[in-house]
Amino acid sequence: MTYSYTQISQYLRCPRSYRHRYLDGWREKDTRAAMVFGRCFEKALAAFFLHEDSAAVLSKEWGVYRDTPLEYKRSDSWDQLYHQGVQLLEQFARDNRIRVRQPRQNLQIKLLHPLPDDSNFVAYIDGIGELDGARCLLEWKTTTSRYPEEPTGLLALDPQLVCYSWISGISEVALVVFVRKRVPEIQYLRTTITEEQRREFGQLVEETAGRIGAGQFLPHSGIRFPQNGCVSCPFLGLCLVSPQLIETKLIRVPGASDLDWLDQLDD
Ligand code: SF4
């Protein structure tokens, strides 16, 4: 069994959703434009570090989806996302704050950590490089809203950064947030993950993997207003036994659990 950050966090959010996704093979349909665009944008970023024409790579990758019926947010369109992406790439080049030496080795780095019972934890780290000259682990995000910078220290609680710090052993981490808005913005956020946080995260992973191995999949529905996680859960149709919701949101992929670790690439 190979676990990833996405699997562990999905189990912690709701064990029943883990069962729907990873044991029964239900997957959300890949139709969210923002998510598809995010993957194309990360390929363009990789091209930037390889001294290739990143705007051309974005145009090629995102161009594949020009006529695909994706779900766009109200104010979004294919053209809008493309132009925002190009502006963000230009801004990133002008800022010139991130360095990645030997990009072929230091981008999309696969790391494995052995767990008890012959299982593994896998993570794909976006990069290891420098922010303003200081070495750190790098994580990219494309989003439509700014990452909150208050209260001070909040970023150190980001579970994905804690996870990547744990598996890499690197305490200095940076989140580069590409904010798609009317005037695009890039946030360069840095924090330090402590040894204790890494140790506790390792314990959390082992404990969670143990509960998954023991077949514990009780639902945590979070149905109480206004923190209603079920409303945004792709598996709501399964829990409500609604064929129409299932048809709209999900596809079933037999044998998908063999490739679960690939989810890591979607983060
Ligand atoms: S709809 Fe609610 S109970 Fe069902 S899997 Fe999703 S979060 Fe869990």
Side-chain angles (χ1 to χ4, degrees), residues 52-89:
E52 294 170 5
D53 183 343
S54 56
V57 171
L58 181 65
S59 171
K60 177 169 164 267
E61 295 290 334
W62 184 229
V64 171
Y65 299 97
R66 183 161 207 148
D67 299 318
T68 307
L70 297 173
E71 284 171 45
Y72 288 91
K73 287 202 175 149
R74 211 161 17 141
S75 56
D76 274 349
S77 65
W78 188 94
D79 285 304
Q80 166 108 329
L81 264 68
Y82 174 66
H83 289 300
Q84 287 173 336
V86 171
Q87 281 179 290
L88 284 165
L89 289 168

Side-chain angles (χ1 to χ4, degrees), residues 15-26 235 238-239:
R16 182 59 49 87
S17 76
Y18 181 98
R19 192 179 81 183
H20 289 319
R21 166 66 187 86
Y22 294 103
L23 271 66
D24 299 341
W26 291 99
F235 305 111
L238 293 169
C239 290

